[in-house]
Amino acid sequence: QLQLVESGGGLVQPGESLRLSCTGSGGRFNNLAVGWFRQAPGKEREGVSEREGVSCIGSDGTPVYTDSVKGRFTISRDAAKKTVYLQMNNLKPDDTGVYFCAASGFSVRAMCSRPYADDFWGQGTQVTVSS
């Protein structure tokens, strides 16, 4: 069974940067699409359906971004390390939330368009952007 572990969250001020990491183990990872989903403050107790796709990357490296992060976030993957990174620059308060990593057999665009409960999910990492 594939397991995903996220790291890299924290508290930063607007305009600062963070890099999130998602590492897979215990199953196939490199031939799956992998993505980052955000769950907004106040919705922490809600289910997978309340998560919004932020950025995803296909097994071939094709990236997808939601409009609000284009030009600020960059997603990449390192097959040797079975890790996907999300470099987040010029962070804004609206970027605040719990960021979950997911891995899916769907296409990268289908995966990022909506969260699928049957995909593999990590436990999440908190990102807080506040002055």
Side-chain angles (χ1 to χ4, degrees):
Q1 180 82 351
L2 178 65
Q3 294 185 329
L4 304 176
V5 177
E6 303 101 331
S7 62
L11 170 63
V12 297
Q13 295 187 346
E16 294 185 339
S17 299
L18 283 173
R19 188 177 79 158
L20 305 183
S21 299
C22 171
T23 300
S25 64
R28 63 181 187 145
F29 179 81
N30 290 337
N31 61 347
L32 297 178
V34 178
W36 290 95
F37 291 75
R38 178 176 58 229
Q39 196 146 355
K43 297 186 177 180
E44 291 85 355
R45 295 185 180 274
E46 303 295 333
V48 170
S49 62
E50 291 298 326
R51 298 173 187 176
E52 172 194 12
V54 174
S55 181
C56 302
I57 188 166
S59 58
D60 62 352
T62 299
V64 172
Y65 300 97
T66 192
D67 286 346
S68 65
V69 308
K70 286 179 180 177
R72 300 189 296 123
F73 291 12
T74 303
I75 193 168
S76 61
R77 67 190 304 165
D78 185 330
K81 295 182 178 180
K82 292 189 176 182
T83 299
V84 168
Y85 303 100
L86 184 66
Q87 177 67 43
M88 305 188 294
N89 297 330
N90 189 21
L91 281 159
K92 303 177 179 181
D94 284 349
D95 296 321
T96 294
V98 179
Y99 282 68
F100 293 89
C101 175
S104 175
F106 287 105
S107 72
V108 63
R109 292 193 181 279
M111 177 193 190
C112 240
S113 67
R114 55 161 290 178
Y116 292 90
D118 290 341
D119 285 344
F120 298 99
W121 290 91
Q123 292 302 305
T125 184
Q126 177 71 45
V127 171
T128 304
V129 185
S130 176
S131 55

